[in-house]
Amino acid sequence: MIRVFKFGGALLKDAEGIERMVSIVEEFKCEPLVVVVSAIGKTTNALENLLLLAMTNDKNLASEYFSLKSFHINLIQSLPHVNHSELITEVEELFRDLWDALNNKNDNYYFAYDRIVSFGEKISGKIVATRLSAKKLIVEAFPAQTIIATNSNFTNASVDWKKTRYNISTYLFPLLHDGKIIVTEGFVGSNENGDTTTLGREGSDFTAAIIGTILKADEIVIWKDVPGLMNADPKLFDDAVKLDNISYHEAIELAFYGASVIHPKTIQPLQKNNLTLQVRSFWEPHTTPSLISDNTLEDDNVPKIIVKKNQTLLSISSRNMDFIGEENLFLIFKIFNKHKIHINLMQNSVISFSVCFNSDVKNQEVLMEALSKLFYVKYNTGLTLLTLRHYNKAFLAKHTSNKKVLLEQKNRTTAQFLGNF
Ligand code: ASP
Ligand code: MG
């Protein structure tokens, strides 16, 4: 039985989480296992921030860098059974490389982003592999850059499946067969020049799916700090329930509407190869996992709700009471496309067109500037978009009664409400 496990950074943020990961890995050590890790805690955000500080010559760069470094060093010091000074020396070396990268100003932004942000996974990979080895597990830390081959689309690189397949079968497969547990970094890859690339935010799950697909793994598991896939965010709804089975299609739909389930990119290779993805509870590892597969039977069993906060509603109308017809819509979409602003909801009426998207001061400014040359534009900010999938009457009433809705849209499976909730 070949397994690929992915542990997210939120799970590894302290010694308790790391020890839990160790006990899970130990339980499965007798069969081929690949462990994919992502950056610890909020490290990816912190690294993005360091890059920004470096680019703007901000005086806080050094202090922010040191605080990220101390966070990791403190974590190492809290781990049992590892040789602390040895691991700290190795991690400090990675931090020195990070510092050099931050101070190398010649780089193009996207190139620098991948080089810098990938340190999060490199550091967590080192810590996890060292901790597992200290448990006398036979571990091989295998850099993702030697496995995941990509093109040069820095920050959102596409996988070169042919080369990646070659790398995995040539280098990784024999190690697995020798009984080694492979630890590798999620999210990270490299282009044909050996430059570091990344697969896009939240890309670690995708790495697990790539490796799992190529190895034809029997189990691909994403460990999470919730009981499995839920019908609502348990932080917002205390009556959230676990979904036992959902289809690939439903998972992609939920992700599209903003549920932080699994990125659609992750689902695609699994769907193509008909591999099931398990989402399992990190804290209660023996409970039944949620399964994402081609099984559509339970998709409409449980209504689901997705809350997207911080939305802007833009209402666009013509300056001379003309209809908003195809020609105008074409111009409007062109502007959204040019500025890479994703539309979450839209509605057309005779003389106006309404669009909802994630609020962002920059987005608002560029849109206002581009659109107000041609149209009258009004906007509301700070709104919330509720999406209800497979809703029923009671579920609709529960989540929308007494709410002042600005825009509403319904079809057979999905109802959306935008308002000031
Ligand atoms: N560390 C990366 C991120 O936070 C990748 C991942 O966690 O999946 O986006
Ligand atoms: Mg992460």
Side-chain angles (χ1 to χ4, degrees):
M1 179 101 113
I2 300 181
R3 294 187 174 88
V4 179
F5 285 177
K6 183 261 175 167
F7 295 99
L11 308 175
L12 306 172
K13 68 178 193 308
D14 51 26
E16 194 192 359
I18 293 188
E19 292 315 295
R20 168 59 59 130
M21 177 276 304
V22 173
S23 68
I24 292 174
V25 170
E26 239 204 324
E27 188 174 331
F28 295 94
K29 68 180 175 196
C30 297
E31 291 182 288
L33 175 61
V34 180
V35 174
V36 176
V37 293
S38 78
I40 292 172
K42 301 252 178 274
T43 299
T44 306
N45 292 348
L47 288 163
E48 281 185 345
N49 185 41
L50 288 181
L51 173 63
L52 190 74
L53 297 176
M55 309 266 300
T56 53
N57 292 318
D58 193 298
K59 60 180 184 338
N60 294 318
L61 176 64
S63 64
E64 292 295 320
Y65 162 84
F66 281 115
S67 90
L68 186 65
K69 185 166 147 184
S70 338
F71 166 77
H72 283 88
I73 307 276
N74 290 339
L75 175 64
I76 293 170
Q77 267 156 347
S78 70
L79 295 179
H81 309 300
V82 295
N83 181 331
H84 292 137
S85 61
E86 210 173 282
L87 180 55
I88 288 172
T89 308
E90 287 174 329
V91 167
E92 275 179 344
E93 213 166 284
L94 287 168
F95 269 95
R96 255 196 306 280
D97 293 345
L98 167 63
W99 184 249
D100 289 343
L102 285 165
N103 288 291
N104 182 348
K105 295 273 163 37
N106 303 325
D107 294 339
N108 142 302
Y109 172 80
Y110 297 100
F111 175 89
Y113 180 99
D114 284 358
R115 190 161 164 220
I116 286 161
V117 170
S118 57
F119 273 97
E121 271 69 16
K122 290 182 187 164
I123 295 162
S124 68
K126 175 106 247 155
I127 295 174
V128 165
T130 307
R131 177 63 192 96
L132 288 171
S133 306
K135 191 85 191 180
K136 304 272 175 298
L137 295 168
I138 308 159
V139 170
E140 180 92 18
F142 210 84
Q145 277 168 278
T146 53
I147 308 177
I148 307 292
T150 71
N151 67 3
S152 296
N153 187 13
F154 295 105
T155 74
N156 196 15
S158 298
V159 176
D160 181 331
W161 283 88
K162 201 168 156 215
K163 282 191 191 152
T164 304
R165 197 174 288 279
Y166 174 83
N167 293 342
I168 289 182
S169 36
T170 317
Y171 308 119
L172 211 126
F173 203 62
L175 293 172
L176 277 177
H177 268 266
D178 281 352
K180 300 217 164 100
I181 296 171
I182 309 284
V183 175
T184 195
E185 307 98 345
F187 176 57
V188 180
S190 73
N191 69 5
E192 59 185 354
N193 304 324
D195 303 321
T196 306
T197 54
T198 63
L199 305 175
R201 287 301 307 260
E202 307 307 326
S204 301
D205 292 350
F206 185 35
T207 304
I210 298 165
I211 297 175
T213 301
I214 294 176
L215 288 173
K216 297 196 174 55
D218 303 278
E219 287 191 356
I220 305 168
V221 182
I222 311 282
W223 294 90
K224 288 224 175 215
D225 59 358
V226 284
L229 289 176
M230 309 294 286
N231 76 327
D233 181 349
K235 287 188 206 101
L236 302 177
F237 300 95
D238 48 18
D239 56 355
V241 293
K242 190 174 115 199
L243 305 167
D244 294 329
N245 284 290
I246 68 167
S247 67
Y248 301 119
H249 176 92
E250 184 67 11
I252 290 175
E253 292 269 357
L254 292 176
F256 175 82
Y257 290 117
S260 57
V261 265
I262 306 290
H263 197 283
K265 251 191 185 177
T266 306
I267 306 289
Q268 281 146 8
L270 301 174
Q271 180 171 26
K272 227 165 131 191
N273 295 279
N274 204 11
L275 293 165
T276 299
L277 183 68
Q278 301 187 18
V279 180
R280 291 181 71 163
S281 163
F282 187 63
W283 298 109
E284 287 170 8
H286 297 290
T287 53
T288 32
S290 298
L291 303 181
I292 303 177
S293 68
D294 62 356
N295 177 0
T296 55
L297 292 176
E298 293 177 29
D299 280 353
D300 52 10
N301 276 9
V302 183
K304 305 168 187 95
I305 180 161
I306 300 143
V307 180
K308 235 176 181 322
K309 294 208 167 128
N310 215 10
Q311 300 294 300
T312 295
L313 173 65
L314 212 62
S315 301
I316 304 160
S317 48
S318 98
R319 285 190 172 272
N320 45 16
M321 292 298 279
D322 264 357
F323 298 159
I324 295 278
E326 285 71 15
E327 215 177 309
N328 288 326
L329 291 174
F330 175 74
L331 290 173
I332 295 169
F333 284 132
K334 220 169 128 184
I335 292 171
F336 274 82
N337 183 45
K338 181 173 167 205
H339 297 289
K340 294 191 196 312
I341 300 170
H342 174 71
I343 296 175
N344 294 330
L345 184 71
M346 57 189 153
Q347 204 163 66
N348 198 9
S349 75
V350 181
I351 51 158
S352 89
F353 182 63
S354 304
V355 210
C356 155
F357 55 90
N358 295 356
S359 295
D360 168 324
V361 182
K362 197 179 109 260
N363 284 352
Q364 258 148 245
E365 262 173 29
V366 292
L367 284 176
M368 284 304 281
E369 201 192 305
L371 288 166
S372 55
K373 286 183 196 135
L374 308 164
F375 305 98
Y376 281 125
V377 188
K378 282 192 311 198
Y379 65 86
N380 294 52
T381 56
L383 304 176
T384 298
L385 177 62
L386 294 182
T387 303
L388 312 182
R389 293 267 304 161
H390 304 292
Y391 57 90
N392 54 36
K393 247 184 167 169
F395 196 68
L396 267 190
K398 180 173 164 201
H399 291 290
T400 60
S401 55
N402 302 325
K403 287 192 171 139
K404 194 169 170 282
V405 175
L406 296 177
L407 204 70
E408 180 177 331
Q409 229 168 61
K410 265 190 215 153
N411 65 26
R412 228 163 10 90
T413 50
T414 310
Q416 295 191 284
F417 301 88
L418 181 71
N420 223 329
F421 314 137

